[in-house]
């Protein structure tokens, strides 16, 4: 699953950064985020459980709970939570990502993806907000449709 050479190398980098302590925490957050992305791509729940929530915790410690730097960690953790069968947790993280994005996201693709995955979470939860979130997500994703991940999510959310 996540035993790819990239996953092994990122794990080694993460170990080295963790040994460096506080000074390397921002870099550690990014590496753990990439490890989370790999776990999601591989469908590796065990690897994701080990790194995805930690990405958010590290980011909060480094940047604060409302920093725009948390949008990506919250997004990848939310995507993992959906994979792991915990759509309620995914919705919590993705709602936070969107709230933070409202004050400015480092990359306009991130809030569009967060909106799309939040729609997926609401659909999985049979939440009354699902239809409205799906429409909002499709509008946001349409502005980023030239990006493969946004285009794929847009297709998935077609009504």
């Amino acid at each position: 699953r996540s035993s790819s050479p990239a996953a092994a190398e990122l794990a080694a980098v993460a170990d080295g950064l963790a040994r460096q302590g506080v000074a390397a925490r921002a870099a550690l957050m990014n590496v753990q985020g990439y490890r989370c992305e790999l776990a999601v791509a591989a469908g590796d729940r065990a690897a994701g459980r080990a790194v995805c929530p930690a990405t958010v915790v590290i980011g909060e410690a480094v940047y604060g709970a409302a920093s725009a730097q948390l949008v990506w960690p919250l997004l990848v953790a939310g995507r993992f939570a959906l994979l792991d069968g915990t759509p309620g947790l995914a919705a919590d993280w993705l709602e936070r990502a969107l709230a933070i994005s409202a004050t400015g996201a480092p990359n306009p693709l991130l809030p569009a993806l967060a909106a799309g995955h939040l729609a997926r979470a609401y659909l999985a939860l049979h939440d009354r907000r699902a239809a409205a979130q799906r429409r909002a997500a499709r509008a946001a994703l349409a502005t980023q449709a030239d990006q493969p991940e946004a285009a794929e999510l847009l297709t998935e959310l077609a009504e």
Side-chain angles (χ1 to χ4, degrees):
R1 303 263 236 173
S2 282
S3 60
S4 72
E9 185 165 338
L10 284 173
V13 170
D15 289 343
L17 290 169
R19 284 192 299 274
Q20 291 178 31
V22 175
R25 284 194 130 189
L28 180 59
M29 179 197 77
N30 289 327
V31 169
Q32 295 293 61
Y34 290 123
R35 292 179 71 199
C36 182
E37 289 273 12
L38 285 174
V40 170
D44 188 338
R45 292 177 170 186
R49 286 184 194 122
V51 298
C52 296
T55 303
V56 175
V57 171
I58 294 166
E60 289 171 336
V62 173
Y63 297 108
S67 170
Q69 295 300 318
L70 283 181
V71 174
W72 179 63
L74 288 164
L75 171 60
V76 296
R79 287 178 55 220
F80 172 72
L82 282 168
L83 169 73
D84 202 34
T86 53
L89 179 58
D92 291 344
W93 279 337
L94 295 163
E95 287 168 352
R96 264 185 75 197
L98 283 175
I100 293 168
S101 293
T103 64
N107 175 339
L109 176 61
L110 299 179
L113 294 174
H117 291 295
L118 181 57
R120 291 179 59 224
Y122 286 169
L123 288 165
L125 292 166
H126 306 287
D127 189 292
R128 61 179 170 70
R129 299 169 288 181
Q133 183 60 40
R134 178 188 277 176
R135 285 189 299 277
R138 288 188 49 76
L141 290 163
T143 68
Q144 301 293 319
D146 60 329
Q147 300 295 316
E149 190 175 358
E152 181 179 317
L153 194 49
L154 190 57
T155 299
E156 181 180 336
L157 294 174
E159 293 186 72

